[in-house]
Amino acid sequence: MKFTSIIAATLLVMSTQTSANLISNGDFQTCDFTHWGLDTDGFGEPADASGFTIIDEAGQCAAQVSTGSPFSTQFANTLFTDLDLSSVSPDALLDLQFDWTFSGFDLQTDEFSDAFSVVLNNGVTLEELLFVFEDGSGTFSTQLDASYDGFSLDFALLPGFNVESYASTFTLDNVSLTERVEVTAPHTSLLLAFGLCAVALRRKLQQ
């Protein structure tokens, strides 16, 4: 390997910092709901959890939540995970991101339609992040801070009141919450030192 290549690799390592995902199994690659909670109508995990499934496409897994039949007593199905930010400094900035797809089968014209909702919840405060009642998909991103320690991140499917309701689904994948790290470039003096070393070594090799 050329010395200049070694220098480039060294600088890359020095200037790159990684941040672990604070949400366990956010990509559902265990292909189950490990580290996630299931809730129906606020009463906890239902005896019939058929509204919560894992989609497995050649080992690439994602979570899917669906509504029940019109004759079901289930109203809202929620997939949630608790946020433990105790290891995060109070002034840290956190990036929340997830991929979602919502497929509704009611009129989808107003707030009375089936809806996909994402909220932060600590049992007292509800902070809505996303509310969708039309077919769609995307990657949602927002910024949080350590004050949300102890909250749960709730992904809820809310049936509406139209006759076509109770047939909607949402798919969730790649949920991540990472601490924002400012990547700083190496000091100019350090770059100069590496450059002089490279020049000196090259001249030596040429001799």
Side-chain angles (χ1 to χ4, degrees):
M1 179 184 290
K2 293 183 179 180
F3 188 72
T4 51
S5 298
I6 297 175
I7 293 175
T10 302
L11 293 178
L12 181 61
V13 171
M14 293 177 61
S15 60
T16 301
Q17 303 180 51
T18 58
S19 181
N21 189 357
L22 296 169
I23 295 179
S24 299
N25 196 28
D27 57 4
F28 299 98
Q29 284 311 101
T30 61
C31 295
D32 58 25
F33 290 111
T34 300
H35 300 296
W36 288 84
L38 315 180
D39 180 85
T40 295
D41 298 337
F43 294 108
E45 185 170 349
D48 177 9
S50 58
F52 302 87
T53 56
I54 293 290
I55 301 173
D56 186 348
E57 297 183 355
Q60 298 299 313
C61 294
Q64 187 172 85
V65 178
S66 59
T67 54
S69 71
F71 306 103
S72 171
T73 57
Q74 298 178 5
F75 182 72
N77 282 334
T78 302
L79 181 64
F80 68 93
T81 186
D82 295 324
L83 302 183
D84 180 3
L85 308 180
S86 57
S87 62
V88 177
S89 61
D91 58 346
L93 298 179
L94 306 172
D95 291 317
L96 173 66
Q97 182 170 294
F98 55 84
D99 298 329
W100 63 275
T101 300
F102 177 65
S103 179
F105 289 92
D106 60 5
L107 297 179
Q108 300 184 62
T109 56
D110 51 38
E111 65 273 17
F112 296 107
S113 304
D114 290 3
F116 167 50
S117 175
V118 183
V119 301
L120 291 163
N121 175 19
N122 69 352
V124 177
T125 302
L126 291 177
E127 183 171 333
E128 187 174 274
L129 301 179
L130 181 66
F131 187 85
V132 179
F133 58 84
E134 296 180 344
D135 286 347
S137 63
T139 298
F140 178 85
S141 300
T142 192
Q143 186 173 292
L144 306 179
D145 57 42
S147 66
Y148 291 99
D149 182 36
F151 278 67
S152 66
L153 179 60
D154 299 355
F155 299 87
L157 184 55
L158 311 171
F161 300 96
N162 298 314
V163 294
E164 296 88 352
S165 293
Y166 304 100
S168 297
T169 62
F170 77 80
T171 303
L172 178 68
D173 201 5
N174 300 318
V175 186
S176 66
L177 183 63
T178 55
E179 185 172 353
R180 179 170 294 184
V181 178
E182 297 297 332
V183 179
T184 58
H187 294 296
T188 304
S189 58
L190 186 60
L191 288 174
L192 180 59
F194 273 114
L196 292 174
C197 288
V199 171
L201 182 60
R202 177 173 296 178
R203 287 179 178 175
K204 184 176 180 179
L205 294 175
Q206 289 174 347
Q207 293 174 355

